[in-house]
Amino acid sequence: MNIPNRITLSRILLIPFFIVLLAVPLDWGEIEIGEGTLPISHLAAAILFIVASTTDWIDGYYARKHNLVTNLGKFLDPLADKLLVSAAFILLVELGLAPAWIVILIISREFAVTGLRLVAAGEGMVLAASQMGKLKTWIQIIAISALLLHNFPFSLMGFPFDVVALYAALIITVISGIDYFVKNWHVMRDSK
């Protein structure tokens, strides 16, 4: 397994630690942020999430720079993104920081695209992530980070950046899903 694929795998291996930080009631205290508070466990989870998310850029950059792009990497990279983002969104719903209906739509798109990739794999094709799909992932990461940080530092200015980012993530997620199916509809049409 090459270095970019190991970096991608490390992103997957960080997910359980991220889940523990948010799902286990850790009472590490809170930080005052304007009129609200930010649990230290949420801050730690946000930092871990951002570090794990950054590996998405690192593995792709390294793979392209050193010509190490593989079919395994094309499969693992979007899977790692989906696992991390889905875990984060589900936990945000549990914590009451994101509406369930938005998360259901976002995760449904991820399942649909994964299903299309599986059909393609059955036909011997690997569908790499599109540029719009990559943009979608980064907007989702920004929204999740803002929600995990309880909208800090924007809460100090009274600007609901976390909500704006979440709706932007929803919109680009839906649009990129439609775009992905339109561009790859031949996979469904031509499948045996």
Side-chain angles (χ1 to χ4, degrees), residues 82 85 89 101-102 105-110 113 130-144 163-181 183:
K82 286 174 184 16
V85 166
F89 273 130
W101 71 270
I102 290 177
L105 288 173
I106 289 172
I107 292 176
S108 295
R109 180 265 188 212
E110 303 304 344
V113 168
S130 67
Q131 289 301 323
M132 188 176 287
K134 291 176 183 179
L135 173 65
K136 175 262 322 171
T137 299
W138 282 104
I139 293 174
Q140 288 177 350
I141 289 167
I142 291 166
I144 291 166
V163 174
V164 171
L166 181 61
Y167 278 94
L170 172 64
I171 291 165
I172 192 69
T173 297
V174 170
I175 291 170
S176 70
I178 293 168
D179 178 68
Y180 199 80
F181 270 87
K183 288 181 178 172

Side-chain angles (χ1 to χ4, degrees), residues 9-149:
L9 190 58
S10 75
R11 182 159 70 255
I12 295 171
L13 296 175
L14 287 173
I15 295 170
F17 297 101
F18 171 74
I19 292 170
V20 167
L21 286 171
L22 290 176
V24 175
L26 302 169
D27 188 14
W28 293 346
E30 298 178 332
I31 301 169
E32 297 289 327
I33 53 168
E35 296 179 14
T37 60
L38 171 61
I40 293 174
S41 60
H42 291 197
L43 175 61
I47 291 168
L48 183 60
F49 178 80
I50 291 165
V51 167
S53 298
T54 303
T55 67
D56 183 34
W57 178 81
I58 294 169
D59 62 16
Y61 173 78
Y62 193 89
R64 286 184 299 276
K65 181 177 180 185
H66 297 284
N67 198 26
L68 295 172
V69 176
T70 64
N71 282 342
L72 178 63
K74 289 179 186 177
F75 170 76
L76 273 182
D77 186 61
L79 177 64
D81 295 340
K82 286 174 184 16
L83 291 172
L84 179 62
V85 166
S86 295
F89 273 130
I90 291 167
L91 287 163
L92 287 168
V93 169
E94 182 179 331
L95 295 169
L97 299 173
W101 71 270
I102 290 177
V103 171
I104 290 167
L105 288 173
I106 289 172
I107 292 176
S108 295
R109 180 265 188 212
E110 303 304 344
F111 276 116
V113 168
T114 300
L116 181 61
R117 282 197 173 116
L118 289 173
V119 171
E123 298 294 319
M125 295 180 274
V126 175
L127 301 178
S130 67
Q131 289 301 323
M132 188 176 287
K134 291 176 183 179
L135 173 65
K136 175 262 322 171
T137 299
W138 282 104
I139 293 174
Q140 288 177 350
I141 289 167
I142 291 166
I144 291 166
S145 300
L147 290 162
L148 288 171
L149 292 170

